[in-house]
Structures are given as structure tokens and as C-alpha cells.
Amino acid sequence: MAFDRRLDTFSLAALLVSAHYGLGFVLGTAEKSLTLGTAGSLYAVSLGLGTIVLLGLAKFYWRQAEQIWTLLGSAYGDVVKVFVSLMSWSSLIGIEAVQLISGAFILKVFGIPTLPTMVVLAILFAIISLLPIEKAGWILRGLLVLNFLALLYGLWALHAFGDYLRSPIEFAQSLQHVSLPTTVGISLPTILLVLIDMKYQQFVVQAKDLQSLYRGCTLAAILILLLALLPSTVVVAAHNAGILPVGIDGKETLPYILAWIGGGTQKPLGIALIVSLLIPALGLGSSILRVQSKTVLDFNILPASVWSRIFVTTVNTLFGLAVAFKGGEIINLIVYFYAAYVGGVFVPFVAYLVAQTERYNFSKTSVKLSLFVSSFSSIGLLIITLINPNFSLLNSVELGIMGIGILSGVFFLLVGELLEKYFLKSEVEEKV
């Protein structure tokens, strides 16, 4: 696949940051921080760590210049391509829904009903997703700066710059009070997701050269880690200052704080600060829809045209709206879908990477069997969890979803190899 490789270091870093720095990142971190303190930044910090780990595969993706499902499909067949792309597509619907849920809770501070809010945000997502990527990059850079300034103003108003400088130490200490399954359940799926996430790949392959690629990924990781601790520091500082009302919903924590800092929801500054929380959603929401549309259009079911892209984008937007009504805790809902995708695709992808080293080639039958079973297992457990939130394995819903997928994937990859080498081979020899 040919790409117009024109992204320099700063353009690539801005787009990589915008791929994950949305309402889930900001409001989800704030929601967690209300009960976990600075440890609420675990998900956001994991995204930064995942971007660092991505450096190990960045050159591979840049040279291949293909989506993960195209790579696996070329090696193991079109059925694998379709299955992997559908797994990616389904996970993105859930992530888009999270952005809509978050946006609805932000504007709920103004007393605006959630349904109209979700509809308007969905329309904005769709419009920006249809813009050329270069224009979107400049827009998102400006939007990220605005949101960053709003959080910095929150630190200044709460006299919490010293707290922010100490936040890395506070983060490490507060993690000791979080159970190990919870810590691993949030961090591991998130880090692994970054390695196989098309939202990142679509920008990585457009770096103009390897130097821009490595510098852009490194800069993005640094920026994400710096941004990760901002929302949690603001929430902790506000809690210590006693400005949060008893029983406040975690999703409304940051909007409430910014409204308080700005003098209330009736004041221009308060309105501006609250609205600034919506801005990162435009980056991630539009990025998600762009990838979803590309996934569907790559099947070549519809003719290549602007109208086909608009139609597919509209359908994907409606799916996101439908899922948004389910609700749930922001970070948990995000990682549930991450875990399902990682659980279904990670083992076949590792098998593909092993084959690239020419040390061992798993058979097509083995990889297909692994992909099918792991995908159905992780998606099945995800559906059960959404229906019954109290159900979990390994003392962590996220770890359970990913674990059942990876373990079943490894098991049936080996089963497939045994079948291929001993049973299927024997049948062929007998016929000969």
C-alpha cells in the first residue's frame, strides 16, 4: 500500500498523542483518581509506556506499510484478514462509545440532556474524520494545546504545581494500594494494545523517514507521560482543598472542578474551561471513525467513492451511538474492549512475527484455529461481562478477558500444529 510519507517529528508526535488523548484519557483518569488518588493515572501512564515499547516495532510497521490484518491475511489467507479487521472494528466501536459517554457527562454540568449531546458529538466526530489527515493534524495540535492550558490553569488555581512535580513519586507510592490483578489488568492490555493498534499504525507508516519515525514516537511517549499525571493531580488537589461535594459522580469530577475554578457554569471562564474538556474527544473520536471507515472500505464491498466513505462513516457513527447507551466506568470500559482485541489477535500476530525471523513457521491451519478460538473466547467473555458486570476471572475483568483469549490462542495454536504434523500429514501419506 502506497502512503504519502510527509509527517515530520512534531506532526507525527501530535497525531500519535491525539490518537489516545481524548475524553477517556482525561475524564477516565479523573474518575479513577477520585478513589485511587494519583494511581488513577495508571491507564494514561500505560499508554505512554506502550508508545515506548512501540519503538521496537515501529521500523517493522513503517517498512511493511500495511495494516495488521493485511499482513496476517497475506500470510494466512483472506479469512484471517477479515477476522482480524472485524476484531479491530468491533473494539473501536466500544472506544468511540466511551467518548460519547464522556461528552454527555461533561455537558450534563450545564443541565443539557445526554442524548442530544451524544448526537452532536457523533456528528462532529464524523465531519472531522472526513478531513484530509494533514488538516486534521494542525487542528488537533491546536486543540491539544487548549486543553493542556486548561489543566495547567487548574493546577495554578489550586496551587498544585508542586504536587504535579511530585506526582511521579506519588504515583509509584499510591500503586502499592492497588491490587496486583487490577494493576496488571489495566496496564498489560493497554501496553499490548498500542503494539497492534491501527490508530497508531495509520500515523507511524506516514513518517517521512526513519529519523522522524523514532523521534516522533519518542516525543509522543514523553508528552503522553507528562499529560498522564495532570488530571489526577488536579483531582487530588481539589479533593485536598475540600471543594468536591460528597457523593459526586466520578465522571463529573473534572468538569465540576473546572467550573469551580472558573467561577461557576454561568461565568464565561467556567464555561470555557468545561467546554475545553470536549476538545480532545474530537481528536480521538474522528481518528476512530477514520480507521473504522478504512477497515470496512478495504473489503471492497462498496465502490471507491466519496459517497461510499460518507455512508460507511455514518453507519459506524450510528453503531457508536447505540453502544454509548450502555454506560459504565470509563477506564474499565475502554480496557474491556482493548483486552478483547488483544486476547483475540495477539497470539496470531506473535506467530506471524516468529515466522518473519525464519526460525519457525506455524501452519495456516494452526494460526486460523488460534485466531478463531481466541477471538470467540475473548469476545464471548466481553459480552458476558457487559451483561453481568460482577462476573470476572483472575480477580480482574480485563485480565480475565485478555487471559482467556491469549491462553486459548496459545493452546489451539499448538493443537493445530499437532494436527497438522501428525494427523493431517498421516492422512496425506496414506492417500499417497
Side-chain angles (χ1 to χ4, degrees), residues 401-428:
I401 293 173
M402 184 186 71
I404 193 68
I406 290 180
L407 290 176
S408 61
V410 171
F411 178 76
F412 281 94
L413 182 69
L414 299 178
V415 168
E417 286 296 284
L418 291 175
L419 291 174
E420 184 77 18
K421 289 188 175 182
Y422 294 102
F423 294 96
L424 297 180
K425 183 178 179 180
S426 298
E427 291 180 5
V428 172

Side-chain angles (χ1 to χ4, degrees), residues 197-267:
D197 187 9
M198 184 55 200
K199 294 196 301 296
Y200 263 32
Q201 290 180 38
Q202 67 170 331
F203 301 131
V204 166
V205 297
Q206 296 186 63
K208 66 178 183 180
D209 51 42
L210 287 175
Q211 187 178 53
S212 298
L213 173 65
Y214 286 121
R215 288 181 177 178
C217 289
T218 302
L219 179 58
I222 294 172
L223 291 174
I224 291 174
L225 290 173
L226 290 174
L227 291 168
L229 296 168
L230 275 177
S232 59
T233 303
V234 170
V235 171
V236 172
H239 178 73
N240 292 338
I243 71 172
L244 296 177
V246 178
I248 187 174
D249 190 299
K251 297 182 184 65
E252 299 180 60
T253 302
L254 201 54
Y256 181 89
I257 294 172
L258 293 183
W260 179 86
I261 291 171
T265 57
Q266 305 300 320
K267 301 293 184 179

Side-chain angles (χ1 to χ4, degrees), residues 298-357:
D298 279 349
F299 291 144
N300 295 320
I301 299 175
L302 298 174
S305 69
V306 174
W307 292 110
S308 293
R309 189 181 174 200
I310 292 175
F311 172 75
V312 171
T313 299
T314 301
V315 172
N316 286 329
T317 302
L318 293 175
F319 274 121
L321 276 172
V323 176
F325 297 132
K326 175 62 183 177
E329 194 169 340
I330 294 173
I331 294 300
N332 288 348
L333 192 57
I334 291 175
V335 184
Y336 289 172
F337 282 92
Y338 283 1
Y341 178 60
V342 171
V345 175
F346 192 72
V347 172
F349 181 62
V350 171
Y352 173 81
L353 292 179
V354 170
Q356 299 306 300
T357 66

